Amino acid sequence: MGAYNPQKIEPKWQKFWEKNRQLCEVEEKSKKPKFYCLSMFPYPSGEGLHVGHVESYTATDIYARTKRMQGFNVLFPMGWDAFGLPAENYAIKIKTHPADSTKKSIFKFKNQIKSLGLSYDWSREINSSDEEYYKWTQWFFLLLYKRGLAYKKKAKANWCPHCQTTLANEQVVNGRCERCETEVFQKNLDQWFFRITKYADSLLEDLNLVDWPENLKEIQRNWIGRSQGMEIVFDLKKIRKTDEKFLDNSKFNNLEIALALKKYPTVAKIKVFTTRPDTLSGSTFMVLAPDGIATKKLEKYISNKSQLKAYQLSATKKNELQRTEFNRDKSGIALQGLVAVNPINGKPISLWAADYVMGDYGSGAIMAVPAHDSRDFEFAFRHNLPIERVIYQEERSLAFLNLSFIQNPKEVITELKKFNLYSLLLDDKGFKVELYKSSSSLPYGLIVEMKNEQEVTEYINLIQAQLKKIFWSEIVGGKYWQFVFSEKVLKDNSEENLAEIQKKLKKALKVLKRRKSFDPRTALLEKAIRRKFFFSDYVGWTIPAGLFRDYVCYAGKKGRLFNSTFLDGMSVEKGWQSMADWLVERNLGRRVKNYHLRDWLVSRQRYWGAPIPMIYCEKCGLVPVPEKDLPVRLPAKVDFVPTGESPLKNLKSFSKTTCPKCGGEAERETDTMDTFVCSSWYFFRYCDPKNEKEFASQERIRRLMPVNLYIGGVEHAVLHLLYSRFFTKVLQEAGYVDFSEPFLKVRNQGIILGPDHNKMSKSKGNVINPDEIVNKLGADTLRIYEMFMGPLEEMKPWDTKGISGARRFLEKIWQLQEKVQKEAPDFEDRMSTKDSQDDLKAKKLLHQTIQKVSRDIENLAFNTAISQMMILINAWKNLVKISVIDFEFFLKILAPFAPHLVEEIWQNLEHKKSIFEEEWPRPIEEFLKNKDVLVAVQINGKKRGTITLPVEISENEVRETVLNLPPLKKFLEGKLIRRWVYIPGKIINLVVN
RNA sequence: GCCGUGGUGGCGAAAUUGGUAGACGCGCUAGGCUUAGGACCUAGUGUUAUUUUGAUAACUUGGGAGUUCGAGUCUCCCCCACGGCACCA
């Protein structure tokens, strides 16, 4: 038998499987149920395989092998995502043609994959850069074009200066190129797009049909970003300069203003998108994106055009990064000459242009509700605009209690607790009354939260009695702003005093404004100054900004509306609908949806990709290449060093062609397609990889699709996985397939970190090379270890020492061969009572293991499957002999995990055929049952011992046994048994005292 | 900020419907084998306290409350980590 030598046996079995291809291939005509098991096809990089590949490939391999043994007709293919930028950049780096370097990389990759013993069906291997493949990629382009889903548009596109090409939105991460992290900027270009937005709703809703990880679904939902809201139409009035005073809310009452506005004719209308029509009454101004359509449309009415132009210019200079990250100062300018009218209350709404509103979302204009939207709030604060609250929290009233206003803080706190007023302390130390005496600058006060009117009343009674003489507390229903007044301030209404206080407040405001971060208290102070509505200068200072802002800007579900005419008293949800109905009835608005998802930009100005099959003819315009002329071949002899334009552009032999319609001179489109177009349909090709007439025959698609299990990385969440779903929906609509989702079950393998718990990277020197592991310890060890590390989907670090445990496990199994009793006793014998106790135990454990391993594989819980097999092996190791039948049972469940080792042992047991032709074992019920169970005994919920009880025992018998248990005597002596809980097979709990 | 996922020994992690927390592996400790080291084998290993050395008790699943005979698991509040979206109205 010799020692376990994976270096010798692994290549042997790999060759065997290659020769016996039927072991891995899907059967053409089969009555078995099909199972399509897939891992994402790799981009064959020059660097070769990494441990993350091994993780997902091993997981799918174990699953595929198991499914085959369980009688499924399994499709388990592999191929190469060979087109694309990285391959091209690598080729440029090593100064070869990408076709050659890719070929080499694939060769290397394939050898590495083969050394892992993966049971791929290599007869279905595909390569997206092969003519026979990209012919169909081009066919898909034409399909989309014919269906009006591919269009060319001059538009702002993401441009990566380093990669010298345009990028899809999905390939821009935080304003940077997904690949090289160069800052992306906007360039006006004529580009091809796929109309993925047409499918936004079904892409969103069909997520409910599939079994995908929740976070993955969530990423896609976020990306699609649907928000339901309303488009509301506002009348715009041209107003004379002299009448602009009417816009000042503080001087005129609402009726006056409304009447004044009526005089003016409506000169234009403006549409805005909002998700909160219920807050319409609180809208006090309107903001237009400086570069939006709305602004352009209204330009002619605006009297300060030059100021607008200047602002537009400064806004366009800022790139995306500056707009979002560095420019939160809410710049903007007022647009003069026009005023909008709030349709619900006739109040004037001033118009502003500001770059915090996006031109390409909704209509590029918003109704600002500063009291209930933090961005509008900031803008209103910055530009001194009115803030009108229309929502209060019905279940929550908040008061701030400055302890220095209180005569006896300790007593008040105790009282507050007694009244069950939930008090949130600003700081732990705030409870300590000493602090208020100290000169520490820490806040010393309480935020008191009241849940209902009764509590508010209790609070008022309590606090007013406790306040120091000069203070008065004015509380604080959900509707009110103010907190504590100084009586002194209120009583002394003399001009001097007011001026004095105004000065103080202004100074305070200045200090606040100087701070870098925005502080909502500033708005309070502003309002106080403007309205001569005074607060004690203490108050604003000691309220935590975040809490206060949440309170004021509250817009949540528990809110009720006020100051909102007919919506008053309604919940926000009801108000939403009522307002929507009201607006729809009067033709002032309609319910609409908006999306974050944009159309997919597919043009690339690079060489290594599938050419876009379109022709430009002087006479006929845009003409698609006829299907019979496909593929449009990618010429081999091209100088492909990137220049910012397609390298094919100056290659006359490529670009010059004749028009398929009129036969006249014409030019080809020279851009190539985004490589994600190639990968959006590859899983269809596996079904029928050699088909020359179709991308795959409908019959085969019907037989093999959709993919039942798909394993790959999350990084493709809004790229490959989204695009593939889009393609599938197009195919469904075009009648090629009869399902809407390509991947029924998706799982993401977790990232494997380096031994130092950091992400593996060359620069950190913590990269584990799977080749080295295979050479040193064997592929089976690597497979077992990676599967044993932890749950498939979790991120987990590599443990250099931990892998020896996997090897040891396999060694132990190898050693076990010596104990196998070759001459098998027949079944009757095995079931006979002659079996020793040990033997019976071993069998029981075996069948439990079969049960658990089968279940765990189904759940992709490979780590626990392996641990269960380890338990079995540790027990068997102590046996003198093992029956060959039992051992073979075990080998079958181990086979998917360590296929080489198992095949070798199987052969040693004098089997001629592969173990993978065997059927997956079922546990024998007889051995899963137990006569006795171990039950824990608790007294008052604490474990005090265990007891072995027969399964078939009456509760009374149990009770008798337990009460006479010697170790329990001391806990029960002199005690009364109040309660007796017996859960058969699990636990006994005695409640005594 | 909004949304999602998660938080259990020295480390990776187990734990069906609420029912003996820490399986399995690594590491560590002691012993055996060995010239030595490795490899291998045997036993032990959550923390703390007491201890007559046999053990006994208390504590323990991010923190706090609650439901229950019983909570890692259920409910509420809070904290932290990772991931997604983000002036998206």
Side-chain angles (χ1 to χ4, degrees):
Chain A
M1 185 183 83
Y4 171 49
N5 185 352
Q7 288 81 358
K8 216 176 109 196
I9 62 173
E10 288 181 355
K12 171 184 158 188
W13 289 104
Q14 284 155 19
K15 261 177 228 146
F16 175 86
W17 296 323
E18 217 161 314
K19 261 192 217 153
N20 295 273
R21 283 177 19 189
Q22 81 287 350
L23 290 173
C24 304
E25 285 178 6
V26 67
E27 293 167 28
E28 272 307 314
K29 290 200 172 101
S30 174
K31 278 180 189 156
K32 296 176 185 173
K34 73 97 184 177
F35 195 93
Y36 190 167
C37 187
L38 186 64
S39 35
M40 289 181 184
F41 74 156
Y43 132 69
S45 76
E47 281 160 27
L49 211 65
H50 59 77
V51 287
H53 288 120
V54 178
E55 189 184 15
S56 85
Y57 299 165
T58 307
T60 38
D61 187 54
I62 291 170
Y63 206 87
R65 285 182 186 270
T66 307
K67 281 284 157 191
R68 284 192 200 104
M69 291 172 81
Q70 287 173 345
F72 286 83
N73 188 27
V74 175
L75 172 57
F76 186 45
M78 182 39 79
W80 315 103
D81 187 11
F83 265 145
L85 268 180
E88 188 178 338
N89 288 342
Y90 178 71
I92 292 167
K93 200 173 124 197
I94 62 165
K95 297 198 170 74
T96 45
H97 196 278
D100 297 331
S101 65
T102 303
K103 206 178 265 173
K104 270 188 202 138
S105 297
I106 289 176
F107 183 77
K108 184 178 171 188
F109 235 84
K110 196 166 168 182
N111 279 331
Q112 285 183 303
I113 286 180
K114 286 196 169 174
S115 76
L116 294 171
L118 302 165
S119 59
Y120 291 124
D121 178 354
W122 287 108
S123 70
R124 288 169 186 266
E125 179 178 356
I126 55 173
N127 175 333
S128 65
S129 68
D130 280 348
E131 257 175 56
E132 303 84 62
Y133 184 91
Y134 71 71
K135 171 183 175 179
W136 297 106
T137 305
Q138 291 170 339
W139 179 86
F140 270 94
F141 185 97
L142 295 176
L143 176 74
L144 265 70
Y145 180 75
K146 276 180 221 153
R147 302 187 64 80
L149 297 169
Y151 63 93
K152 200 169 194 190
K153 184 175 85 175
K154 192 155 191 158
K156 275 189 185 162
N158 307 303
W159 179 265
C160 173
H162 181 259
C163 298
Q164 297 264 24
T165 185
T166 49
L167 298 171
N169 275 353
E170 288 79 6
Q171 286 150 30
V172 180
V173 179
N174 292 329
R176 292 174 186 278
C177 171
E178 177 217 15
R179 296 224 172 269
C180 63
E181 300 198 351
T182 311
E183 201 176 300
V184 166
F185 62 91
Q186 304 291 305
K187 206 171 170 182
N188 237 336
L189 287 165
D190 210 13
Q191 301 278 295
W192 282 97
F193 290 87
F194 284 167
R195 208 181 295 280
I196 189 170
T197 50
K198 187 183 165 195
Y199 298 87
D201 279 326
S202 62
L203 286 169
L204 186 70
E205 277 149 24
D206 290 354
L207 284 173
N208 297 328
L209 305 177
V210 292
D211 174 12
W212 287 22
E214 192 48 44
N215 64 322
L216 184 57
K217 288 187 181 183
E218 200 55 31
I219 291 170
Q220 290 210 352
R221 283 190 201 114
N222 280 341
W223 189 257
I224 295 163
R226 180 166 80 184
S227 50
Q228 318 231 20
M230 287 207 79
E231 200 177 72
I232 301 179
V233 185
F234 286 73
D235 283 350
L236 293 172
K237 309 244 172 181
K238 185 142 182 67
I239 199 158
R240 259 176 276 128
K241 192 117 191 136
T242 48
D243 287 341
E244 274 179 10
K245 62 181 180 205
F246 283 116
L247 307 186
D248 190 347
N249 272 318
S250 58
K251 286 191 192 132
F252 297 90
N253 70 32
N254 295 343
L255 191 67
E256 278 176 291
I257 294 168
L259 286 174
L261 277 170
K262 263 202 169 153
K263 294 196 306 209
Y264 297 96
T266 299
V267 291
K269 286 175 189 283
I270 187 168
K271 281 180 196 165
V272 301
F273 175 71
T274 179
T275 54
R276 295 301 300 268
D278 51 317
T279 61
L280 181 56
S281 307
S283 177
T284 51
F285 58 99
M286 194 174 272
V287 186
L288 316 188
D291 54 346
I293 334 154
T295 318
K296 272 186 201 115
K297 211 179 94 186
L298 300 179
E299 229 168 46
K300 58 180 169 182
Y301 304 105
I302 292 164
S303 54
N304 56 340
K305 250 179 244 172
S306 58
Q307 209 187 340
L308 174 63
K309 282 267 142 56
Y311 183 70
Q312 282 170 338
L313 203 68
S314 79
T316 43
K317 267 191 198 152
K318 295 177 194 164
N319 63 22
E320 200 66 23
L321 279 178
Q322 282 168 337
R323 263 181 84 143
T324 54
E325 277 174 37
F326 309 120
N327 186 35
R328 287 187 172 263
D329 66 348
K330 295 281 184 296
S331 73
I333 55 153
L335 299 176
Q336 288 162 7
L338 276 179
V339 67
V341 184
N342 192 329
I344 190 173
N345 56 20
K347 282 194 199 174
I349 292 179
S350 53
L351 263 62
W352 294 73
D355 64 0
Y356 84 91
V357 172
M358 308 285 99
D360 59 355
Y361 188 78
S363 58
I366 62 154
M367 60 173 230
V369 184
H372 302 291
D373 179 285
S374 54
R375 294 153 309 187
D376 297 343
F377 190 88
E378 285 167 33
F379 190 81
F381 148 69
R382 165 95 195 256
H383 298 279
N384 225 342
L385 296 162
I387 297 167
E388 298 289 342
R389 291 181 74 216
V390 292
I391 302 172
Y392 67 95
Q393 288 181 73
E394 57 179 321
E395 290 178 19
R396 196 172 167 228
S397 291
L398 218 59
F400 174 76
L401 179 59
N402 188 325
L403 292 184
S404 58
F405 299 154
I406 304 291
Q407 289 167 1
N408 190 347
K410 230 178 205 169
E411 199 179 295
V412 171
I413 289 163
T414 333
E415 286 293 302
L416 282 174
K417 278 184 178 166
K418 206 160 58 187
F419 282 112
N420 201 21
L421 292 170
Y422 172 53
S423 51
L424 266 168
L425 216 44
L426 300 182
D427 187 307
D428 259 354
K429 288 163 192 154
F431 257 124
K432 291 180 191 157
V433 184
E434 302 90 84
L435 185 78
Y436 125 75
K437 286 179 191 160
S438 82
S439 60
S440 158
S441 62
L442 283 167
Y444 43 96
L446 293 168
I447 295 281
V448 183
E449 188 181 314
M450 289 143 281
K451 294 205 179 81
N452 52 46
E453 281 303 313
Q454 194 199 339
E455 287 193 352
V456 173
T457 317
E458 275 167 10
Y459 178 82
I460 291 171
N461 291 340
L462 172 66
I463 299 303
Q464 287 189 350
Q466 290 286 340
L467 279 174
K468 284 182 188 168
K469 279 200 181 120
I470 54 163
F471 294 108
W472 179 257
S473 174
E474 188 74 33
I475 316 298
V476 177
K479 286 185 193 175
Y480 308 102
W481 291 80
Q482 85 248 51
F483 300 90
V484 182
F485 293 99
S486 158
E487 210 177 59
K488 209 159 101 193
V489 172
L490 290 175
K491 275 187 180 161
D492 184 1
N493 266 340
S494 68
E495 283 295 315
E496 300 90 66
N497 192 37
L498 289 179
E500 175 74 12
I501 285 165
Q502 189 124 17
K503 222 162 113 193
K504 251 182 168 177
L505 290 178
K506 277 183 178 162
K507 200 177 154 198
L509 187 66
K510 228 174 175 179
V511 175
L512 268 190
K513 279 193 173 179
R514 229 180 286 137
R515 290 188 190 164
K516 270 182 199 151
S517 60
F518 171 75
D519 190 321
R521 283 172 290 174
T522 46
L524 247 185
L525 284 176
E526 288 230 318
K527 193 162 176 156
I529 294 165
R530 205 169 57 235
R531 298 238 171 138
K532 297 189 176 140
F533 175 70
F534 297 122
F535 292 77
S536 151
D537 47 342
Y538 275 103
V539 177
W541 297 107
T542 37
I543 298 172
L547 191 58
F548 183 65
R549 179 209 196 122
D550 286 352
Y551 182 62
V552 171
C553 278
Y554 182 78
K557 281 187 180 156
K558 283 182 182 166
R560 261 181 204 285
L561 295 156
F562 70 107
N563 274 348
S564 298
T565 65
F566 65 93
L567 299 183
D568 282 354
M570 288 184 194
S571 69
V572 291
E573 274 150 334
K574 185 148 185 258
W576 203 109
Q577 296 304 339
S578 305
M579 178 58 81
D581 293 340
W582 189 88
L583 289 167
V584 169
E585 272 167 33
R586 284 158 186 76
N587 215 11
L588 292 169
R590 58 194 183 98
R591 289 178 166 90
V592 291
K593 291 172 197 159
N594 249 307
Y595 302 88
H596 169 257
L597 184 71
R598 293 279 166 271
D599 277 342
W600 175 12
L601 192 166
V602 295
S603 302
R604 294 291 177 274
Q605 292 69 44
R606 294 289 295 255
Y607 169 66
W608 195 234
I612 293 174
M614 294 298 293
I615 291 171
Y616 303 98
C617 170
E618 289 264 325
K619 267 196 241 159
C620 318
L622 212 51
V623 184
V625 174
E627 256 176 58
K628 64 175 171 50
D629 294 344
L630 293 182
V632 177
R633 286 191 178 78
L634 184 69
K637 282 190 184 167
V638 183
D639 178 14
F640 50 80
V641 174
T643 59
E645 285 199 318
S646 170
L648 303 176
K649 196 150 194 172
N650 297 319
L651 192 73
K652 286 271 153 29
S653 60
F654 177 82
S655 63
K656 252 184 106 176
T657 187
T658 51
C659 172
K661 252 190 197 164
C662 68
E665 271 187 27
E667 281 200 27
R668 285 189 191 282
E669 165 69 62
T670 53
D671 280 353
T672 52
M673 274 185 257
D674 181 4
T675 171
F676 283 103
V677 180
C678 309
S679 57
S680 294
W681 69 279
Y682 80 101
F683 42 91
F684 284 108
R685 189 64 178 170
Y686 280 138
C687 299
D688 198 2
K690 303 214 164 65
N691 196 327
E692 288 175 6
K693 291 189 181 123
E694 294 164 282
F695 70 97
S697 82
Q698 290 198 38
E699 187 269 325
R700 289 194 189 212
I701 291 172
R702 202 170 309 124
R703 195 141 47 80
L704 296 167
M705 281 293 290
V707 176
N708 298 82
L709 174 66
Y710 195 24
I711 296 183
V714 240
E715 65 272 16
H716 290 109
V718 292
L719 294 158
H720 164 62
L721 287 173
L722 189 67
Y723 298 149
S724 300
R725 295 180 62 220
F726 162 53
F727 265 47
T728 305
K729 289 178 193 305
V730 174
L731 285 176
Q732 184 192 26
E733 212 170 70
Y736 287 92
V737 305
D738 55 6
F739 49 87
S740 62
E741 287 293 329
F743 315 126
L744 298 179
K745 177 170 177 166
V746 171
R747 289 295 116 103
N748 302 121
Q749 84 269 20
I751 298 170
I752 298 181
L753 304 171
D756 56 356
H757 288 59
N758 285 311
K759 211 170 173 182
M760 284 192 196
S761 78
K762 265 190 189 165
S763 57
K764 284 198 183 114
N766 60 353
V767 177
I768 302 293
N769 180 353
D771 273 354
E772 279 172 31
I773 309 284
V774 171
N775 290 336
K776 228 168 95 190
L777 298 166
D780 284 336
T781 298
L782 177 62
R783 291 168 61 113
I784 292 279
Y785 176 62
E786 286 210 21
M787 293 300 103
F788 183 64
M789 285 169 83
L792 180 67
E793 305 201 61
E794 225 98 300
M795 186 188 282
K796 42 209 175 279
W798 187 274
D799 183 352
T800 322
K801 284 183 178 153
I803 192 163
S804 59
R807 172 68 188 244
R808 238 170 264 158
F809 169 59
L810 296 179
E811 294 270 6
K812 282 182 206 166
I813 295 162
W814 186 260
Q815 298 306 325
L816 234 43
Q817 288 185 80
E818 287 179 352
K819 298 189 177 182
V820 173
Q821 202 182 14
K822 291 265 161 84
E823 56 290 340
D826 59 37
F827 190 74
E828 292 298 314
D829 266 0
R830 291 176 58 240
M831 297 300 287
S832 77
T833 48
K834 275 181 276 173
D835 274 342
S836 70
Q837 276 300 314
D838 277 358
D839 223 26
L840 189 67
K841 259 193 202 159
K843 277 195 177 56
K844 279 188 166 167
L845 189 56
L846 168 69
H847 289 276
Q848 278 164 23
T849 303
I850 293 170
Q851 189 181 43
K852 178 153 176 64
V853 170
S854 307
R855 202 163 50 201
D856 283 351
I857 292 175
E858 196 52 50
N859 298 328
L860 306 168
F862 305 118
N863 53 333
T864 49
I866 293 169
S867 94
Q868 180 63 36
M869 290 192 279
M870 285 173 168
I871 292 169
L872 179 73
I873 292 308
N874 288 344
W876 277 10
K877 214 175 49 177
N878 300 323
L879 297 178
V880 186
K881 56 186 188 205
I882 297 161
S883 111
V884 70
I885 291 178
D886 289 350
F887 193 55
E888 287 182 356
F889 259 126
F890 168 70
L891 288 178
K892 287 176 196 172
I893 58 166
L894 176 66
F897 296 84
H900 311 88
L901 171 92
V902 170
E903 285 275 42
E904 185 69 20
I905 298 176
W906 189 251
Q907 192 186 48
N908 290 343
L909 292 169
E910 282 153 23
H911 290 284
K912 295 267 150 48
K913 285 179 165 177
S914 163
I915 191 167
F916 293 102
E917 295 189 47
E918 296 290 317
E919 245 181 64
W920 189 258
R922 281 170 203 281
I924 295 170
E925 282 297 320
E926 198 59 37
F927 292 120
L928 293 176
K929 285 181 200 152
N930 270 321
K931 270 209 310 243
D932 301 319
V933 272
L934 196 65
V935 173
V937 183
Q938 294 183 338
I939 289 169
N940 288 341
K942 275 185 186 141
K943 188 184 149 196
R944 296 297 179 191
T946 56
I947 179 174
T948 306
L949 294 169
V951 172
E952 314 264 334
I953 186 170
S954 76
E955 188 159 346
N956 279 340
E957 283 173 283
V958 174
R959 190 167 182 152
E960 209 158 299
T961 322
V962 168
L963 293 183
N964 292 321
L965 229 50
L968 295 183
K969 281 263 163 70
K970 65 174 174 181
F971 295 104
L972 299 176
E973 235 153 63
K975 301 270 174 74
L976 200 64
I977 296 175
R978 297 242 171 237
R979 193 163 172 172
W980 160 264
V981 180
Y982 171 55
I983 311 294
K986 299 240 158 120
I987 208 153
I988 294 155
N989 192 9
L990 299 171
V991 183
V992 303
N993 65 4

